Amino acid sequence: MKMILPIFVLSLLFSSSYAAVQDFCVGDLSAPEGPAGYSCKKPAKVTVDDFVFSGLGAAGNTSNIIKAAVTPAFSAQFPGVNGLGVSVARLDLAPGGVVPMHTHPGGSEVLIVVQGSICAGFISSANAVYFKPLKKGDIMVFPQGLLHFQINAGGGPALAFVSFSSPSPGLQILDYALFGNNLPSELVEKTTFLDDAQVKKLKGVLGGTG
Amino acid sequence: MKMILPIFVLSLLFSSSYAAVQDFCVGDLSAPEGPAGYSCKKPAKVTVDDFVFSGLGAAGNTSNIIKAAVTPAFSAQFPGVNGLGVSVARLDLAPGGVVPMHTHPGGSEVLIVVQGSICAGFISSANAVYFKPLKKGDIMVFPQGLLHFQINAGGGPALAFVSFSSPSPGLQILDYALFGNNLPSELVEKTTFLDDAQVKKLKGVLGGTG
Amino acid sequence: MKMILPIFVLSLLFSSSYAAVQDFCVGDLSAPEGPAGYSCKKPAKVTVDDFVFSGLGAAGNTSNIIKAAVTPAFSAQFPGVNGLGVSVARLDLAPGGVVPMHTHPGGSEVLIVVQGSICAGFISSANAVYFKPLKKGDIMVFPQGLLHFQINAGGGPALAFVSFSSPSPGLQILDYALFGNNLPSELVEKTTFLDDAQVKKLKGVLGGTG
Amino acid sequence: MKMILPIFVLSLLFSSSYAAVQDFCVGDLSAPEGPAGYSCKKPAKVTVDDFVFSGLGAAGNTSNIIKAAVTPAFSAQFPGVNGLGVSVARLDLAPGGVVPMHTHPGGSEVLIVVQGSICAGFISSANAVYFKPLKKGDIMVFPQGLLHFQINAGGGPALAFVSFSSPSPGLQILDYALFGNNLPSELVEKTTFLDDAQVKKLKGVLGGTG
Amino acid sequence: MKMILPIFVLSLLFSSSYAAVQDFCVGDLSAPEGPAGYSCKKPAKVTVDDFVFSGLGAAGNTSNIIKAAVTPAFSAQFPGVNGLGVSVARLDLAPGGVVPMHTHPGGSEVLIVVQGSICAGFISSANAVYFKPLKKGDIMVFPQGLLHFQINAGGGPALAFVSFSSPSPGLQILDYALFGNNLPSELVEKTTFLDDAQVKKLKGVLGGTG
Amino acid sequence: MKMILPIFVLSLLFSSSYAAVQDFCVGDLSAPEGPAGYSCKKPAKVTVDDFVFSGLGAAGNTSNIIKAAVTPAFSAQFPGVNGLGVSVARLDLAPGGVVPMHTHPGGSEVLIVVQGSICAGFISSANAVYFKPLKKGDIMVFPQGLLHFQINAGGGPALAFVSFSSPSPGLQILDYALFGNNLPSELVEKTTFLDDAQVKKLKGVLGGTG
């Protein structure tokens, strides 16, 4: 017997669910945001370009004092990952470059070394230190919320891609948090035990006030 | 001693929380949707009818080539389950009927056979096959995202209700995904190793183009 | 060109992941349990029978004073749903039968009326009451943790299947909690404002002490 | 070598992420609510006052028949906790005061006794009773959705703070749910086995109708 | 008609679920731990004392240089909260006391001032600073993973209780992480831009090596 | 005033929490597994090598018929990511190589093209097709559970790294699921509408039986 399955069959069968089923929620950055992420762009307006991001193709500008650049593809830059529990970023480290001590309050990170070598590490709540030089192809995981860092450990430029367990993992750079805003020096000193001169010096460098 | 608990007592006691407490979030299909589901209908406008759905009372139309019908009560059809982590659907299988190979990307499923007998099965990531004929009253679970199917295994009509671990589990029917859209035949063939003739035949049946 | 895809190809390709990938976690009731559920049975020992449960095929015994029976297929009875976020139960109501006021602390519920008619309802945190007679094929959702009930609303037996958003939703029957254990009558009375005679009468009926 | 890290460096480095990163989602009570909570207030309008709440500083009014007062700081009262998985409340118990049997459908609770002594307890799904007099400094946990109560166990006033695992744990007071609304007496009686006189007496006290 | 509800009724009705239903998972610290927490103590061995913790009744020892003490009741100290999504701690601040800059990688925190006054604050990923003096009864929320601090802002001792959105929120004290372990001074300096003298001074104070 | 912060201070302050705090849960592959992942290796035995994986440094063997190789660093291969919500894999595509149609039942994926060009695409539940050629540096996201594929679109080898929103996303390759196991041909045909000859041909190629 010949099988004939006319097009209308499955259409009829499942028609009511098609209009509304959503497997994704491309972020609409102009609509209200909630605890779980951005509102969804209407499915009918979604195209393949919402799922593709080309912003990580070019090296970030490392012509700066730390000789490093981080280029994020979080939900704010790449709304296609909104609600999907994952995001990525590109990390460029010129020779001598360093990504200073920082945390991601909202997600764990896996770093993949694509070029060069990187010394990376983190410190646990139990105050144990884990760090190691990584070569091309090595990966390292940094658990959510813990202080960690990456340093170019070779003579040439280093490139890495990093993945996060959240579309919006956040980023808190220690020096920036302590010395790059209007948190009064007195409070910084009382809560970090750093010397006044040290605090004021770095506030000067990073533009902090107070 | 006589107990007197005037009405105003508990009203006073907890009054501030009453207006705002929400145990549920009946979906407002006309408002923005987010990664966690639809926006909530205002509690003051919610009635018992938001929590009741009568759309599963009648058999789906199985007068089609696969002799089967699936009637969903997902959050898109039954907004009362929005945000509550569960939904259901009705499955009608005429004699010879089959629900073709498919997945639910967003939830696990439990099938309950209410009438007739059904041969159901799924394939795991480890490529193990699990299938069995089920009789009235039997239940079977299909883990999230795995290919599975249901076939009428008896001489008469079969009826089942299925439950999902999500208010919006999604549904991806394999044949429909491969042959019922504009995915070019060349790409289908390269990624499935199916013969060109086979692909084109099913594209014809299911209305696929390209 | 003829396509030949020898069996060893994909084996080689993905071999390392096969042994360990787990799409499910069939509960091993004899191993340690954790906050997320039971430990998993070794995949190699899992068979299709772990995913099928026949315990809901027969009506529960309603020859009791409430003329009702609930037969659960939670992870404790049906370990196949462990970790999968869903479970089901069977509800039999003889004429005049009632499932007394109760809550499921761990999950939301959807009830599907398969036979007869049932008056079902729940009370929200905002103290709104939602109840309605349901006929065959109607479904109703009861949000997690709220007091709800089901009463046979017809002249004949009623049958329903209920789905939960958790493999282990729990069940707290109000009367059983208040009158069926060793909670001292004095504490019951102080915390419910029920009369001493009423409390002692129901303690007598339900076997409570104290 | 002198280290100079000009302000523009890190600005350049991470500038694209700053505008959009959100570590919190202060609830905008006037915007749509979703299953995960309220929409977020725009970060630029958030001030420290959004994260501070002074409403728990004063004792609640215990001049009522139950001699108790609960003052919540849930997301509806304290939008700063929206999306953050935690909230608190203040509990005042005058001598003889009692927080009647109730549940929180949406969260577990930890009670901290700050003044006086409190007899607190809960009943599990397995119908086990756990209760104990608590003294100043003692804490007790009440698992999500289970019936529990607190009674002033000393001669003076008692004060406690309670924490929840949700910004909006909900609150269902048993007596209020049974006797303080329009749930018909007949349904209350059928589903609780309480006597008609008892039900009507408490309906009278609590203002219930039907 | 007289209502008689013999004890065996509900026992029969729900008997199969009783043995296995678990509303809680008191941590068994000697058994394997998983990503979701400790393994559960057998329910039959659980007593009310598993849900009560008296360790927060006494003030912590503030006779130290920071004049502060934190006493946690996390799942490691208070296994009753294991798996329940909430924990608490006690914070004592002698005059001049300070809880230095720190984060909780695994949870958000709400602080309740019970005695005295406390200046508390946090810094967001967007580098905004939020701090304010809090008086008795005030509460403040600190979103997950962000740097925050508490300082005694009054002339007398201050006491606060803090709640967390996790049974095991973790704790990473900035100074301890940077200067109290074996992270080489060179790495500290490269990743924080602190001067060598400053780093070595604090390493000396906090016992760090390298 | 000179600040002296002896080492014992913070030790005393937080000592009780240090032994037990866990920010991570390195998988112990020999211990019981639960729904949330593997049991945790004892923290005292964890070293930096648990957080580093070198298995992605070398290209996979693409000397096979599909000219492709996937090398996973899921929790089964890289136990450091256990419980952390993220994992990665390496994808090598020789000229003409293809990763056939497949799904990840347990996670969403982001692909980063590191070398060459790749045509990648997926099909949604609503049966929309999204595909696009990607060049070096482009990224694309594939929502959880949906059928997707990757094809080398250039003349030379292509290399990509892929990230997942789960430490154990699973992998179900369509051809392998349909033709590489003991699922009877009759069931394959009934549930896919493929011709018997087509099914048997591919079963022959992929080693399927039945």
Side-chain angles (χ1 to χ4, degrees):
Chain A
M1 199 195 84
K2 201 169 143 227
M3 195 211 58
I4 301 177
L5 186 66
I7 179 174
F8 66 85
V9 168
L10 288 176
S11 312
L12 277 177
L13 187 55
F14 300 102
S15 56
S16 64
S17 67
Y18 276 151
V21 165
Q22 284 222 31
D23 316 291
F24 44 75
C25 175
V26 174
D28 175 353
L29 304 196
S30 67
E33 188 175 3
Y38 295 105
S39 291
C40 314
K41 198 172 168 176
K42 298 274 180 199
K45 297 195 172 173
V46 169
T47 72
V48 67
D49 291 323
D50 287 302
F51 301 111
V52 175
F53 182 70
S54 296
L56 304 191
N61 182 1
T62 59
S63 298
N64 55 44
I65 197 74
I66 59 165
K67 299 174 181 164
V70 173
T71 311
F74 298 169
S75 55
Q77 294 83 34
F78 179 28
V81 295
N82 185 52
L84 294 182
V86 65
S87 64
V88 300
R90 175 190 178 117
L91 170 55
D92 291 283
L93 287 165
V98 57
V99 180
M101 199 68 83
H102 65 287
T103 64
H104 302 288
S108 292
E109 170 184 342
V110 175
L111 176 141
I112 306 166
V113 181
V114 170
Q115 182 189 358
S117 70
I118 292 175
C119 176
F122 72 89
I123 303 141
S124 75
S125 278
N127 221 25
V129 178
Y130 302 96
F131 70 98
K132 195 173 184 177
L134 308 173
K135 63 181 185 304
K136 184 179 169 181
D138 285 352
I139 66 176
M140 182 169 185
V141 62
F142 308 93
Q144 180 168 353
L146 298 181
L147 284 165
H148 62 289
F149 60 88
Q150 288 104 9
I151 299 174
N152 190 332
L159 170 63
F161 286 100
V162 287
S163 307
F164 297 94
S165 64
S166 164
S168 183
L171 169 60
Q172 181 159 59
I173 308 158
L174 179 56
D175 270 54
Y176 211 64
L178 295 180
F179 311 118
N181 49 41
N182 61 347
L183 183 62
S185 296
E186 190 196 347
L187 288 182
V188 176
E189 292 159 26
K190 265 197 183 162
T191 61
T192 63
F193 311 117
L194 293 173
D195 295 337
D196 180 63
Q198 177 74 86
V199 170
K200 293 208 165 124
K201 177 179 172 187
L202 286 169
K203 279 215 167 225
V205 172
L206 288 161
T209 57
Chain B
M1 199 195 83
K2 201 166 143 228
M3 193 209 60
I4 301 179
L5 188 65
I7 179 172
F8 67 85
V9 169
L10 287 176
S11 312
L12 276 177
L13 187 57
F14 298 103
S15 57
S16 64
S17 66
Y18 276 152
V21 164
Q22 284 221 33
D23 317 290
F24 45 75
C25 175
V26 174
D28 175 354
L29 303 195
S30 68
E33 188 175 4
Y38 295 105
S39 291
C40 314
K41 197 172 168 177
K42 298 274 180 200
K45 297 195 172 173
V46 169
T47 72
V48 66
D49 291 324
D50 287 303
F51 301 110
V52 175
F53 182 69
S54 295
L56 305 190
N61 181 2
T62 59
S63 297
N64 55 46
I65 198 75
I66 59 165
K67 300 174 179 165
V70 173
T71 312
F74 297 170
S75 55
Q77 293 83 35
F78 179 27
V81 295
N82 185 51
L84 295 183
V86 64
S87 63
V88 300
R90 173 189 179 118
L91 170 56
D92 291 284
L93 287 166
V98 55
V99 179
M101 200 67 85
H102 65 286
T103 64
H104 302 288
S108 292
E109 170 184 343
V110 175
L111 176 141
I112 307 166
V113 181
V114 170
Q115 182 189 358
S117 69
I118 292 174
C119 175
F122 71 90
I123 303 140
S124 75
S125 277
N127 221 26
V129 178
Y130 303 96
F131 72 98
K132 195 172 183 177
L134 308 172
K135 63 181 183 304
K136 184 178 167 179
D138 285 353
I139 65 176
M140 182 168 184
V141 62
F142 308 93
Q144 180 168 354
L146 298 181
L147 285 165
H148 62 289
F149 60 87
Q150 289 104 9
I151 300 174
N152 190 332
L159 169 64
F161 286 101
V162 287
S163 307
F164 297 93
S165 63
S166 163
S168 182
L171 169 61
Q172 182 159 61
I173 308 159
L174 178 56
D175 270 55
Y176 210 65
L178 295 180
F179 311 119
N181 49 41
N182 61 347
L183 183 62
S185 297
E186 190 196 347
L187 288 182
V188 176
E189 291 159 26
K190 265 196 182 163
T191 60
T192 63
F193 310 118
L194 293 173
D195 295 337
D196 180 64
Q198 177 73 87
V199 170
K200 293 206 164 125
K201 178 179 171 187
L202 285 169
K203 280 214 165 225
V205 172
L206 288 162
T209 57
Chain C
M1 196 194 87
K2 199 163 145 233
M3 194 209 57
I4 301 178
L5 186 65
I7 179 171
F8 67 85
V9 169
L10 288 175
S11 312
L12 275 177
L13 188 54
F14 299 101
S15 58
S16 63
S17 67
Y18 277 152
V21 165
Q22 283 221 34
D23 318 290
F24 44 76
C25 175
V26 174
D28 175 353
L29 304 196
S30 68
E33 187 176 2
Y38 295 106
S39 291
C40 314
K41 198 171 169 178
K42 298 274 180 200
K45 296 194 173 174
V46 169
T47 73
V48 66
D49 291 324
D50 287 302
F51 301 110
V52 175
F53 182 69
S54 296
L56 305 190
N61 181 1
T62 58
S63 298
N64 54 47
I65 198 74
I66 59 165
K67 300 172 178 166
V70 173
T71 313
F74 298 170
S75 56
Q77 293 83 34
F78 178 28
V81 294
N82 185 52
L84 295 183
V86 65
S87 64
V88 299
R90 174 191 179 117
L91 169 57
D92 291 284
L93 287 164
V98 56
V99 179
M101 200 67 83
H102 65 286
T103 65
H104 302 287
S108 292
E109 170 184 342
V110 175
L111 175 141
I112 307 166
V113 181
V114 170
Q115 183 189 357
S117 70
I118 292 175
C119 176
F122 72 89
I123 303 142
S124 75
S125 277
N127 220 26
V129 178
Y130 303 96
F131 71 97
K132 195 172 184 179
L134 308 172
K135 62 182 184 304
K136 184 177 167 179
D138 286 351
I139 65 176
M140 182 168 182
V141 63
F142 308 94
Q144 180 168 353
L146 298 182
L147 285 165
H148 62 290
F149 61 88
Q150 289 104 9
I151 300 174
N152 190 332
L159 169 64
F161 287 101
V162 286
S163 307
F164 297 94
S165 64
S166 163
S168 183
L171 169 60
Q172 181 159 60
I173 308 159
L174 179 56
D175 271 54
Y176 210 65
L178 295 180
F179 312 118
N181 50 42
N182 61 347
L183 183 62
S185 296
E186 190 196 347
L187 288 181
V188 176
E189 292 159 26
K190 265 197 182 161
T191 60
T192 63
F193 311 117
L194 294 173
D195 295 335
D196 180 63
Q198 177 74 85
V199 169
K200 291 205 165 125
K201 177 179 172 186
L202 285 169
K203 279 213 166 226
V205 172
L206 288 161
T209 58
Chain D
M1 197 194 84
K2 201 166 142 227
M3 194 209 60
I4 301 177
L5 187 65
I7 179 173
F8 67 83
V9 168
L10 288 176
S11 311
L12 275 177
L13 187 56
F14 298 102
S15 58
S16 63
S17 68
Y18 276 151
V21 165
Q22 284 221 30
D23 317 291
F24 44 76
C25 175
V26 174
D28 175 353
L29 304 195
S30 68
E33 188 174 4
Y38 295 106
S39 291
C40 314
K41 198 171 168 177
K42 297 275 179 198
K45 297 196 172 173
V46 169
T47 73
V48 66
D49 291 323
D50 287 303
F51 300 110
V52 175
F53 181 70
S54 295
L56 305 191
N61 181 1
T62 59
S63 298
N64 54 46
I65 198 73
I66 59 167
K67 300 172 179 164
V70 173
T71 312
F74 297 170
S75 55
Q77 294 82 34
F78 179 27
V81 295
N82 185 52
L84 295 183
V86 65
S87 63
V88 299
R90 174 192 178 115
L91 170 56
D92 291 283
L93 287 165
V98 55
V99 180
M101 200 68 83
H102 66 286
T103 64
H104 302 288
S108 292
E109 170 184 342
V110 175
L111 175 142
I112 307 165
V113 181
V114 171
Q115 182 189 356
S117 70
I118 292 175
C119 176
F122 71 88
I123 303 141
S124 75
S125 277
N127 221 26
V129 178
Y130 302 96
F131 71 98
K132 194 172 185 178
L134 307 173
K135 62 181 185 302
K136 185 178 167 180
D138 285 352
I139 65 176
M140 182 168 183
V141 62
F142 307 94
Q144 181 169 353
L146 298 182
L147 285 165
H148 62 290
F149 61 87
Q150 289 104 9
I151 300 174
N152 190 332
L159 170 63
F161 286 101
V162 286
S163 307
F164 297 94
S165 64
S166 163
S168 183
L171 168 61
Q172 182 160 59
I173 308 159
L174 178 56
D175 271 54
Y176 211 64
L178 295 180
F179 311 118
N181 49 41
N182 62 346
L183 183 62
S185 296
E186 189 195 347
L187 288 181
V188 176
E189 293 159 26
K190 265 195 183 163
T191 61
T192 63
F193 311 117
L194 293 173
D195 295 337
D196 180 63
Q198 177 73 86
V199 170
K200 293 207 164 125
K201 177 180 171 187
L202 285 169
K203 280 213 165 225
V205 172
L206 288 161
T209 57
Chain E
M1 199 194 86
K2 198 164 143 230
M3 194 210 60
I4 302 178
L5 188 65
I7 180 174
F8 67 85
V9 168
L10 288 176
S11 312
L12 276 177
L13 188 56
F14 299 102
S15 58
S16 63
S17 67
Y18 277 151
V21 165
Q22 283 221 31
D23 317 290
F24 45 75
C25 175
V26 174
D28 175 354
L29 303 195
S30 67
E33 188 175 5
Y38 295 106
S39 291
C40 315
K41 198 171 166 176
K42 298 274 181 200
K45 297 195 171 172
V46 169
T47 73
V48 67
D49 291 323
D50 286 303
F51 301 110
V52 176
F53 182 69
S54 296
L56 305 191
N61 181 1
T62 58
S63 299
N64 55 46
I65 197 72
I66 59 165
K67 301 172 179 165
V70 173
T71 313
F74 297 170
S75 56
Q77 293 83 35
F78 179 27
V81 294
N82 185 52
L84 295 183
V86 65
S87 64
V88 299
R90 174 190 178 118
L91 170 56
D92 292 283
L93 287 166
V98 56
V99 179
M101 200 66 84
H102 65 286
T103 63
H104 302 287
S108 292
E109 170 185 343
V110 175
L111 175 140
I112 306 165
V113 181
V114 170
Q115 181 188 359
S117 70
I118 292 175
C119 176
F122 71 89
I123 302 141
S124 76
S125 278
N127 220 26
V129 178
Y130 302 96
F131 72 97
K132 194 173 185 178
L134 308 173
K135 62 181 185 304
K136 184 177 168 180
D138 286 352
I139 65 176
M140 183 168 182
V141 62
F142 308 94
Q144 179 168 353
L146 298 182
L147 284 166
H148 62 288
F149 60 87
Q150 289 104 10
I151 300 174
N152 191 332
L159 169 63
F161 287 100
V162 287
S163 308
F164 297 94
S165 64
S166 163
S168 183
L171 169 61
Q172 181 159 60
I173 307 160
L174 179 56
D175 270 54
Y176 211 65
L178 294 180
F179 311 119
N181 49 42
N182 61 347
L183 183 63
S185 296
E186 189 197 347
L187 288 181
V188 176
E189 292 159 25
K190 264 196 184 163
T191 60
T192 63
F193 311 118
L194 294 173
D195 295 337
D196 180 63
Q198 177 73 87
V199 169
K200 293 209 164 121
K201 177 179 172 189
L202 285 169
K203 278 212 168 230
V205 172
L206 288 161
T209 58
Chain F
M1 198 192 85
K2 201 166 143 226
M3 194 210 59
I4 301 178
L5 187 65
I7 178 171
F8 67 85
V9 168
L10 288 175
S11 311
L12 275 176
L13 187 56
F14 299 101
S15 58
S16 64
S17 67
Y18 277 153
V21 165
Q22 282 221 31
D23 318 290
F24 44 75
C25 175
V26 174
D28 175 353
L29 304 195
S30 66
E33 188 174 4
Y38 294 106
S39 292
C40 315
K41 198 172 168 176
K42 299 274 181 199
K45 297 195 171 172
V46 169
T47 72
V48 67
D49 292 324
D50 287 302
F51 301 110
V52 175
F53 182 70
S54 296
L56 305 190
N61 181 1
T62 58
S63 299
N64 55 47
I65 198 72
I66 59 165
K67 301 173 178 165
V70 173
T71 313
F74 298 169
S75 56
Q77 293 83 35
F78 179 27
V81 295
N82 186 51
L84 294 183
V86 64
S87 64
V88 300
R90 175 191 177 116
L91 170 56
D92 291 284
L93 287 164
V98 57
V99 179
M101 199 67 83
H102 66 286
T103 64
H104 303 287
S108 292
E109 170 184 343
V110 175
L111 176 141
I112 306 165
V113 180
V114 171
Q115 182 188 0
S117 69
I118 292 175
C119 176
F122 71 90
I123 303 141
S124 75
S125 277
N127 220 27
V129 178
Y130 303 96
F131 71 97
K132 194 171 184 178
L134 308 173
K135 62 182 184 305
K136 183 177 168 181
D138 285 352
I139 65 176
M140 182 169 183
V141 62
F142 308 94
Q144 179 168 353
L146 298 182
L147 285 165
H148 62 289
F149 60 88
Q150 289 104 8
I151 300 174
N152 190 333
L159 169 63
F161 287 101
V162 287
S163 307
F164 297 94
S165 64
S166 163
S168 183
L171 169 60
Q172 180 158 61
I173 308 160
L174 179 56
D175 270 54
Y176 210 65
L178 295 180
F179 312 118
N181 49 41
N182 61 346
L183 183 63
S185 297
E186 190 196 347
L187 287 182
V188 176
E189 293 159 25
K190 265 196 183 162
T191 62
T192 63
F193 311 116
L194 294 173
D195 294 337
D196 180 64
Q198 177 73 88
V199 170
K200 292 205 165 125
K201 178 180 172 188
L202 285 169
K203 280 212 166 226
V205 172
L206 288 161
T209 57

